Amino acid sequence: MFYTLFSWACAMATLAALLYRLPKLLSNAKNVAVLALCAYFLFNSISYFVDLDNFRGHLTELLGFPNATTIAVQVSVVILTASQQITIVNLALPPRDARRTTLWLMVGFGVAIGVLVLLFFAVHPHKHANAQETVYLNLQDRGYALYFTYYLTICAAGRYQTVLFAFRYARTVPEFWLRLGMWLVAGGSALILVYCAVRYWQIVALHTTQVTAPWKSLFWLIADSGTLIQMVGWTIPLWGPKLQIIGCWLENYRSYLRLAPLWQALYSAVPGIALEKPPSRRHAWVPPSPLAYHLYRRVIEIRDAELILRQSADPIALHRLDQAQGLPHEALCEAAVLRSALKAGLDKMHSVDDSGEAQSVRQRTPGLSLRQEIVTLIHVSKAFQALDKPGRATNGFPG
């Protein structure tokens, strides 16, 4: 059950990665790195789809010999291993060195595939079951065990080189998402190396009596996890930056809502601070568009209200605020000043005069960024709400 789910997940993930990268290939058909990466996704997808129980029986009948899907999977794995190395080489090395290394990789892996196919038909594995059991059954034959050891050695050598290439390239890349992607590719390849080691362990255990065989499901859990991690690593440079945009929007929306109680109280007292009529309380949670602009306006409007309300604030609360500048309880003191001004009533409020001598409740710190200003006002908003709770005095200190 879980094996089938994991296999389908990997098959669909690799296919989705291929389709996601395909437009880049169509516009850069001569780019070797993009071409090799799409080949990596393609053969990764093939290696999973042809081994799914839904398809492998039909493909075996179509190709006309037992275990046809087994050799198809193994050849695909060797090709995708080579493709992954070629991708990193063409990203990391100068063009001339990349072309030379790519040629050697293609020749080396091409010879390895040729030998692999010849050995497969020489061994001619005949035991056939579902995708999870076929390799295990055939490994009990010494000839197939030697053949499979050769296959594992190709994979292990290729993935070891991939880990080295990815680590080296990650250290030279300044762009965060590409660097993260290379670390994930290296990590996924390292898991495939662990898979090879566990397979070696299984071969030894099957042909000796001194070694206990590993848990059967351990192979595909490690291999599939490594594949999924690599899929993320190879695609995250494209969709990762979009996460930053989404994260920024969510952070702005959260800040917008957290400033709402303070802003609503100030707007009720000084409606003139708003340029636009605010939404009803029922729809106050709906994010306005553009959100960044309305959040900025909310900060400005709160500061404008403070400028007006200072005229009516409790002098003692103002003095405490002046003494608390830079201290942890500064936000609470500022909230207490606003609460005292609102309690004083509208009849004591005065507009800012033309002399420009009116001051805001808080003296704005020079060089304070908008994000820092938002964080500061969020603390004030929380303290403002806390003053309504039992046990708090009007000026914001325990009674």
Side-chain angles (χ1 to χ4, degrees):
M1 175 64 176
F2 287 109
Y3 171 80
T4 303
L5 288 175
F6 259 78
S7 296
W8 271 104
C10 290
M12 298 306 296
T14 52
L15 180 60
L18 174 62
L19 296 176
Y20 191 57
R21 272 293 193 177
L22 207 53
K24 183 75 171 178
L25 174 62
L26 296 176
S27 59
N28 295 273
K30 295 183 179 180
N31 189 314
V32 178
V34 176
L35 184 62
L37 183 58
C38 288
Y40 166 75
F41 291 142
L42 173 62
F43 284 97
N44 225 326
S45 183
I46 290 173
S47 69
Y48 278 100
F49 272 111
V50 301
D51 216 26
L52 291 171
D53 290 330
N54 306 70
F55 306 121
R56 69 194 310 269
H58 301 292
L59 289 170
T60 300
E61 292 178 8
L62 180 64
L63 295 174
F65 63 94
N67 291 309
T69 57
T70 300
I71 185 62
V73 168
Q74 292 168 356
V75 169
S76 296
V77 170
V78 176
I79 294 175
L80 69 89
T81 301
S83 300
Q84 189 168 226
Q85 284 196 40
I86 291 171
T87 302
I88 300 177
V89 162
N90 281 271
L91 288 174
L93 298 181
R96 186 176 178 179
D97 294 339
R99 283 194 298 270
R100 185 173 61 251
T101 306
T102 297
L103 181 60
W104 279 110
L105 287 172
M106 291 177 67
V107 171
F109 278 100
V111 171
I113 291 172
V115 175
L116 186 74
V117 173
L118 289 175
L119 289 176
F120 179 84
F121 286 104
V123 172
H124 191 63
H126 60 279
K127 294 179 181 179
H128 187 71
N130 58 32
Q132 192 173 4
E133 295 292 333
T134 297
V135 172
Y136 175 77
L137 293 174
N138 284 298
L139 279 176
Q140 298 174 35
D141 178 76
R142 287 186 179 275
Y144 187 82
L146 290 172
Y147 158 81
F148 200 77
T149 300
Y150 170 71
Y151 163 71
L152 286 177
T153 303
I154 298 172
C155 294
R159 296 309 173 114
Y160 176 72
Q161 286 296 325
T162 300
V163 171
L164 293 182
F165 286 155
F167 273 143
R168 290 171 185 169
Y169 185 44
R171 288 197 292 266
T172 64
V173 176
E175 202 274 313
F176 169 76
W177 291 106
L178 183 55
R179 185 169 65 251
L180 176 61
M182 287 298 98
W183 282 106
L184 291 173
V185 168
S189 295
L191 275 181
I192 304 299
L193 282 174
V194 175
Y195 160 81
C196 293
V198 175
R199 277 296 195 189
Y200 284 131
W201 174 13
Q202 184 189 42
I203 293 171
V204 173
L206 284 172
H207 296 279
T208 61
T209 56
Q210 292 81 16
V211 179
T212 303
W215 179 40
K216 285 185 180 180
S217 298
L218 190 60
F219 314 114
W220 60 264
L221 279 173
I222 295 174
D224 291 356
S225 298
T227 297
L228 292 174
I229 290 173
Q230 288 180 96
M231 288 302 106
V232 174
W234 281 119
T235 56
I236 200 171
L238 287 179
W239 54 264
K242 297 178 183 178
L243 294 179
Q244 287 181 304
I245 297 174
I246 295 173
C248 182
W249 188 93
L250 291 174
E251 179 63 26
N252 285 343
Y253 179 57
R254 182 168 174 263
S255 300
Y256 183 82
L257 293 180
R258 295 178 74 181
L259 290 177
L262 176 62
W263 180 87
Q264 188 64 49
L266 298 179
Y267 172 76
S268 299
V270 193
I273 59 174
L275 292 179
E276 304 173 2
K277 184 179 179 181
S280 63
R281 286 182 178 271
R282 180 182 300 178
H283 299 96
W285 60 272
V286 178
S289 182
L291 180 59
Y293 166 76
H294 284 85
L295 176 61
Y296 175 72
R297 279 301 314 164
R298 181 154 284 189
V299 171
I300 296 300
E301 289 163 5
I302 290 174
R303 289 308 188 197
D304 286 346
E306 289 180 341
L307 190 66
I308 298 171
L309 290 173
R310 185 179 176 93
Q311 322 304 320
S312 306
D314 182 1
I316 297 177
L318 283 170
H319 176 71
R320 286 175 172 169
L321 175 59
D322 292 336
Q323 296 297 314
Q325 297 291 325
L327 298 177
H329 63 283
E330 182 181 1
L332 180 61
C333 292
E334 185 174 347
V337 169
L338 293 173
R339 179 64 71 186
S340 69
L342 292 174
K343 188 176 180 181
L346 287 173
D347 55 324
K348 294 184 178 180
M349 294 182 189
H350 306 285
S351 299
V352 182
D353 55 34
D354 295 333
S355 64
E357 295 178 355
Q359 295 179 324
S360 174
V361 169
R362 172 192 286 266
Q363 297 298 314
R364 184 184 177 101
T365 305
L368 202 65
S369 69
L370 177 61
R371 177 51 56 185
Q372 292 170 319
E373 186 86 354
I374 291 170
V375 171
T376 298
L377 287 178
I378 287 174
H379 289 312
V380 176
S381 181
K382 289 174 64 177
F384 187 84
Q385 296 172 76
L387 295 179
D388 290 331
K389 296 178 181 179
R392 291 280 190 182
T394 303
N395 61 3
F397 297 93

